[in-house]
Amino acid sequence: MKKALCTGSFDPVTNGHVNIFERAATLVDELIVCVFINKHKKSLFTLEERVELLRESTLHIENLTVDSSDGLVSDYLKKNDINLIIRGLRSGVDFEYEYNQAQMLHHLVPNMNTIYLMTAPEYIFISSSAIRELAQFNGDVHKLVPECVEIALRDKQKNLE
């Protein structure tokens, strides 16, 4: 059984993420999307909220499970006997960052491989940080994020005001 891991902070999950998950899931028997805590980022949504939004956004992908971790990706790979990571790329800038990350992971987990999927053109401009900023100013995020995320962003903004 071939398992793969998609990692990120997913604050929040976007339609670009979901598109990558849908495509990645066709390549493996089991796809695990794991929310990792990035201590350098101040999150809008709690870890629990991000996990729940991911679960709701990916219910239609039968071989996908959602998890979370506050440790190292390398430890997660070893613990769960995973040797494949699938990452989405929007641009060459993303590739440089992701390539360096993959090399570090390969150093820590030598049998690990990385597959890069290019973001679909209609989602190339979408990022979680852009969505957070747009939502902060009550901008229209419709068609950029799953419906459950759109609702959660609206609710979150109401609570912050």
Side-chain angles (χ1 to χ4, degrees), residues 45-110:
F45 291 101
T46 67
L47 178 64
E48 295 77 18
E49 289 170 327
R50 288 181 276 155
V51 166
E52 185 52 39
L53 289 170
L54 267 165
R55 284 191 176 123
E56 192 171 340
S57 300
T58 59
L59 281 172
H60 64 287
I61 307 173
E62 292 181 14
N63 62 331
L64 183 148
T65 57
V66 178
D67 199 3
S68 64
S69 177
D70 62 358
L72 293 172
V73 174
S74 58
D75 291 340
Y76 189 91
L77 290 166
K78 292 173 189 174
K79 178 182 173 189
N80 292 283
D81 194 31
I82 301 170
N83 65 0
L84 180 62
I85 288 188
I86 301 178
R87 300 290 293 168
L89 297 177
R90 289 176 298 171
S91 68
V93 173
D94 282 355
F95 176 75
E96 287 183 36
Y97 172 81
E98 293 293 343
Y99 182 76
N100 287 330
Q101 294 290 69
Q103 292 308 307
M104 177 58 79
L105 274 174
H106 185 70
H107 171 76
L108 297 169
V109 186

Side-chain angles (χ1 to χ4, degrees), residues 24-60:
T26 67
L27 303 174
V28 295
D29 299 311
E30 181 183 1
L31 180 65
I32 301 165
V33 176
C34 189
V35 181
F36 278 82
I37 297 171
N38 185 334
K39 295 178 182 179
H40 301 292
K41 289 184 180 179
K42 184 181 183 319
S43 298
L44 176 63
F45 291 101
T46 67
L47 178 64
E48 295 77 18
E49 289 170 327
R50 288 181 276 155
V51 166
E52 185 52 39
L53 289 170
L54 267 165
R55 284 191 176 123
E56 192 171 340
S57 300
T58 59
L59 281 172
H60 64 287

Side-chain angles (χ1 to χ4, degrees), residues 1 15 24 37 62 66 71-72 106 108 119-120 130 133 136 138 144 147 153:
M1 177 151 134
N15 286 343
I37 297 171
E62 292 181 14
V66 178
L72 293 172
H106 185 70
L108 297 169
T119 300
E133 184 174 353
Q136 179 182 1
N138 297 312
L144 303 177
E147 184 179 358
L153 283 166

